Amino acid sequence: MKKLFILGSGRGENFEAIVKYLNSSKISSEIEITCLSDNIDSDILKRAEALGIKHKYLPFEENFEFFAGHDFALTVLSGYSRELEAEILLTGTFLNLHPSLLPAFKGQDAIARAFKSGVKVSGVTVHYLTNETGGGKIIAQYPILIGNLTHFDEFEESIHKLENLLYPIVIEKVLEDKVFDFSDLFSGGCGGNSGGCSGCGGCH
């Protein structure tokens, strides 16, 4: 059984997308998911409880002790508000999701900064996490075009839809020790397992 930790601090919408995708995937019986949060009142912990997923409040100061004391296949960050220290990242494999096409717009407020800059292409990146902001080997990226008439709210919504589509598939491939390929993104009809258009705008 492969242990997957999902580490978050906030609303948990992306966490829910990951759980629903993996629960319907062919490797569902091979993984054990645990939700971890540094915010005891976070929605992500409430979502985990509602979804029947193991969950735990994990204060930031206890991260090293926890990860060093557990044998896990993968930890993925999903809306986590703090930067993990280098010694923690040495305990295993960590993935991160960033709402830009790295190395562009590293750090906080990437969606707003990309939009305000006037770039016509942005997107989402999944990468291995290092102690360098926006660093680590890139596993997958997918673009979104920003039209001259695109409103910020539309762009932000497209980014979040793309995050919920791309991240679960990449996580599945990493757990399977397989290379992510763009054909994997569309194997379910540009909507993962749900089928249909996700509305991410990536095909336009």
Side-chain angles (χ1 to χ4, degrees):
M1 186 70 71
K2 297 179 180 179
K3 292 185 178 180
L4 169 66
F5 295 142
I6 302 178
L7 186 60
S9 303
R11 295 178 301 177
E13 293 176 352
N14 185 244
F15 160 78
E16 184 168 338
I18 294 168
V19 169
K20 287 183 176 179
Y21 179 89
L22 292 178
N23 279 347
S24 62
S25 75
K26 61 184 178 181
I27 65 169
S28 60
S29 61
E30 304 171 15
I31 58 176
E32 179 183 86
I33 302 174
T34 301
C35 176
L36 306 169
S37 180
D38 61 335
N39 179 359
I40 196 169
D41 295 318
S42 62
D43 287 340
I44 192 171
L45 289 179
K46 296 174 184 175
R47 287 180 190 261
E49 183 174 8
L51 292 167
I53 299 297
K54 290 176 60 177
H55 53 284
K56 173 181 174 62
Y57 165 58
L58 180 64
F60 181 78
E61 297 76 13
E62 298 179 12
N63 274 337
F64 178 74
E65 180 181 0
F66 178 85
F67 288 110
H70 287 79
D71 182 19
F72 60 96
L74 183 66
T75 296
V76 300
L77 275 65
S78 178
Y80 194 61
S81 62
R82 307 280 293 272
E83 290 189 12
L84 296 180
E85 298 170 348
E87 63 176 1
I88 297 172
L89 300 178
L90 293 175
T91 63
T93 302
F94 292 76
L95 295 191
N96 189 47
L97 175 70
H98 189 73
S100 78
L101 296 178
L102 292 175
F105 305 107
K106 297 179 180 180
Q108 299 295 319
D109 300 320
I111 299 176
R113 288 191 290 120
F115 188 81
K116 291 177 182 178
S117 74
V119 297
K120 299 308 177 187
V121 181
S122 189
V124 171
T125 301
V126 182
H127 64 103
Y128 289 108
L129 191 64
T130 68
N131 61 339
E132 176 190 353
T133 300
K137 182 179 179 182
I138 291 173
I139 304 171
Q141 290 184 315
Y142 204 80
I144 287 180
L145 302 184
I146 307 172
N148 292 331
L149 299 179
T150 301
H151 294 286
F152 174 73
D153 290 346
E154 296 173 327
F155 171 58
E156 185 177 39
E157 183 180 2
S158 293
I159 287 287
H160 292 320
K161 285 183 177 180
L162 181 55
E163 289 176 333
N164 293 341
L165 175 63
L166 181 64
Y167 208 16
I169 300 173
V170 175
I171 292 169
E172 178 187 40
K173 295 302 175 183
V174 173
L175 287 171
E176 290 183 305
D177 197 25
K178 293 182 179 179
V179 176
F180 171 81
D181 185 86
F182 281 118
S183 62
D184 299 319
L185 188 61
F186 304 108
S187 61
C190 195
N193 287 351
S194 61
C197 178
S198 68
C200 66
C203 57
H204 297 301

